[in-house]
Amino acid sequence: MVMEFRNRNIISIQDFTRKEIDHVLKTSQVMEPVAKIGSSMLRGKILATLFFEPSTRTRLSFEAAMQKLGGSTIGFSDAETSSAKKGENFVDTIRTVENYADVIALRHRLEGAASVAAEYSRVPIINSGTGAQEHPTQALIDLYTIQKERGQIDNLKIAVIGDLRYGRTVHSLVKALMQYNVELFLVSPEILRMQGSLLREVKSKISVTEIQSLDEVMSEIDVLYVTRIQQERFPDPGEYVKLKGTYRVDLKSVKTAKKDLIILHPLPRIDEIAPEIDQTPYARYFQQVGNGLFVRMAILSLVLGATK
């Protein structure tokens, strides 16, 4: 199978084969030294960042990645400053911006927004987080961080804790992990369990165990992936209040952890990881943030044809 990335839409991590994921990870490694000195490989190219929802890491790392590769950026970080405020429909926004840019990174609150954009756009669409279902570039960052910190992805025991129902980073990550030989532990309260259809799909590919207490597996896991409970995704604000602070990783939590455990978090965090964990050798979430630059440099260079 010939891998083709040029002009490719990146909508779901499930659109990638294992071979393609591994290629992105290898290209990301190549980009690490490039990030230090910069490059002109995307000179003359323009990235549009259309963020209809708030973002810090995703938007800034895409913009930094484009600039590190010699390109430039346009866009908005608040739809209130765009013509959407005037009532312009989503498709018209996409069909307008495609005239100004070579690639579009899109974040939107609605499920399927990236797919709709890809249907109408003449330039590649990169899903930068839509609804509660997908965040494919974050999954690639997570995999790259695991591989970089642990030397491999296969044969690891990975626990994912927190909001498994509404967390789009979790959804994309577990879909990606289906391509690898891993043992997965899903830790959440009953109301935030992973939804049935996705859970069945993941269980058909890899070993999955659902539990409600992290203590049950802390001594045996290699990777702990922590997510916040997302207030903005809850249909009922009262349910969020009940669940806020359900899980908190602190020094007591890691007392039985392996010495080489790594703790990841897509950020932002609220109170689910105590600040005291930052000073431990387990914390890798800020390294994870840094890796986002390299992975998004790789994605932009591949989609725009600067690398193969």
Side-chain angles (χ1 to χ4, degrees), residues 8-233:
R8 177 174 178 170
N9 296 307
I10 297 180
I11 307 301
S12 170
I13 196 66
Q14 288 186 293
D15 296 335
F16 287 78
T17 64
R18 163 76 183 257
K19 185 176 180 181
E20 288 174 328
I21 291 174
D22 288 342
H23 183 67
V24 173
L25 301 188
K26 289 177 182 177
T27 306
S28 301
Q29 187 175 16
V30 170
M31 289 298 164
E32 288 210 28
V34 176
K36 294 180 180 179
I37 60 175
S39 169
S40 60
M41 68 174 68
L42 291 184
R43 180 179 294 167
K45 299 293 185 181
I46 297 175
L47 163 71
T49 53
L50 306 186
F51 278 61
F52 291 81
E53 277 192 320
S55 171
T56 299
R57 281 150 292 275
T58 303
R59 182 177 63 86
L60 292 182
S61 63
F62 261 118
E63 292 179 356
M66 192 65 175
Q67 292 175 35
K68 287 284 188 181
L69 294 173
S72 55
T73 65
I74 59 174
F76 55 79
S77 58
D78 182 355
E80 293 293 300
T81 65
S82 76
S83 289
K85 175 71 173 177
K86 303 175 183 178
E88 181 174 63
N89 70 56
F90 176 66
V91 170
D92 283 0
T93 298
I94 297 298
R95 296 186 69 177
T96 296
V97 175
E98 70 178 3
N99 291 283
Y100 310 140
D102 300 285
V103 59
I104 296 173
L106 173 71
R107 171 165 289 190
H108 204 282
R109 67 187 181 281
L110 296 179
E111 312 293 351
S115 297
V116 172
E119 182 179 347
Y120 287 93
S121 177
R122 293 173 298 174
V123 302
I125 299 293
I126 302 175
N127 182 356
S128 302
T130 50
Q133 293 303 314
E134 281 276 6
H135 197 343
T137 65
Q138 181 63 51
L140 291 166
I141 294 165
D142 300 338
L143 293 180
Y144 183 68
T145 304
I146 293 170
Q147 185 179 78
K148 183 177 176 180
E149 298 291 337
R150 294 303 312 248
Q152 63 188 54
I153 300 171
D154 286 315
N155 303 314
L156 295 178
K157 293 184 178 183
I158 301 172
V160 183
I161 183 171
D163 184 355
L164 310 188
R165 182 177 182 85
Y166 299 112
R168 60 191 173 200
T169 60
V170 170
H171 297 161
S172 285
L173 176 60
V174 298
K175 289 174 184 177
L177 290 173
M178 288 164 56
Q179 302 272 9
Y180 295 83
N181 178 28
V182 299
E183 189 172 348
L184 188 62
F185 298 93
L186 302 177
V187 189
S188 70
E190 182 67 26
I191 196 171
L192 292 180
R193 287 181 61 198
M194 187 167 288
Q195 294 185 9
S197 57
L198 175 56
L199 182 61
R200 287 190 293 272
E201 185 179 6
V202 178
K203 283 185 172 181
S204 72
K205 298 290 186 180
I206 58 177
S207 171
V208 178
T209 303
E210 292 185 279
I211 54 177
Q212 293 190 21
S213 173
L214 182 60
D215 292 342
E216 294 180 44
V217 294
M218 180 56 84
S219 63
E220 58 181 294
I221 58 175
D222 303 296
V223 179
L224 174 60
Y225 191 90
V226 185
T227 66
R228 68 187 173 94
I229 296 179
Q230 303 178 92
Q231 182 177 7
E232 67 272 21
R233 305 283 174 215

